[in-house]
Amino acid sequence: MKIGELVKRHKISVDTIRFYEKQQLLCPSARSAAGYRLYTEADSQRLAFILRAKNVGFSLQQIAELLQIEDNKSQWQCADVKDKVQQKMQQIQQQMAGLQQFYQALKQLDNACCGGPASATECSILAALEQGQIVTESHMEHS
């Protein structure tokens, strides 16, 4: 099938397919005499795998690792795949903790502000940001 058929089947853009090719996640099986990329059903299934992995939050590097396992299943153990999922879950938990810290800092700013019609020259949110009164743990780690 040509790239246009793959685009319609998976509801993605040609640019997305070309991007995955540049990232070496997907490779057309052949080229036509006119130079068109030609894809097989297996290529379509590989693209579906990539899209599903992306939809559950895996990065392109992580997807590449999963594809290596997928391509050589007999050389890997189920525990190896599970480890990849657990690593991603841990990464997401860390991100959620960081987001919770940001939320709490924003909540502090929101609670301190009257939100009234007074001039912004007296705004407690701007004052706190100018004076560095709001510090999150994430900010402290990067300082």
Side-chain angles (χ1 to χ4, degrees):
M1 71 186 83
K2 290 182 183 175
I3 198 167
E5 295 171 68
L6 211 53
V7 163
K8 287 178 187 173
R9 181 182 285 194
H10 295 282
K11 298 179 174 98
I12 58 173
S13 70
V14 169
D15 289 338
T16 299
I17 293 174
R18 289 185 180 149
F19 177 76
Y20 291 149
E21 288 176 5
K22 286 178 188 172
Q23 298 300 311
Q24 299 179 339
L25 300 176
L26 183 68
C27 184
S29 292
R31 293 236 181 211
S32 70
Y36 292 110
R37 294 170 169 92
L38 298 176
Y39 300 90
T40 63
E41 187 59 36
D43 296 327
S44 180
Q45 290 172 2
R46 184 177 183 89
L47 179 58
F49 181 101
I50 293 166
L51 295 171
R52 285 185 206 113
K54 185 177 176 286
N55 283 339
V56 296
F58 284 108
S59 69
L60 292 179
Q61 176 61 41
Q62 292 164 332
I63 293 170
E65 292 169 5
L66 289 170
L67 285 169
Q68 286 177 347
I69 296 171
E70 172 71 11
D71 292 343
N72 302 290
K73 290 178 185 176
S74 64
Q75 297 176 15
W76 296 87
Q77 295 179 352
C78 193
D80 297 319
V81 181
K82 185 175 177 119
D83 184 53
K84 301 280 183 202
V85 170
Q86 289 176 336
Q87 287 174 15
K88 187 63 183 178
M89 289 169 47
Q90 184 178 17
Q91 181 185 16
I92 290 170
Q93 283 180 324
Q94 291 169 349
Q95 290 172 333
M96 288 183 345
L99 288 172
Q100 186 62 32
Q101 291 172 1
F102 288 136
Y103 178 82
Q104 291 304 323
L106 289 168
K107 189 173 180 180
Q108 268 185 310
L109 289 172
D110 183 60
N111 289 341
C113 181
C114 70
S119 167
T121 58
E122 302 299 321
C123 179
S124 61
I125 294 173
L126 295 176
L129 292 171
E130 287 170 1
Q131 298 166 12
Q133 295 172 345
I134 300 297
V135 179
T136 65
E137 286 183 38
S138 294
H139 173 72
M140 292 169 38
E141 290 172 4
H142 297 294
S143 296

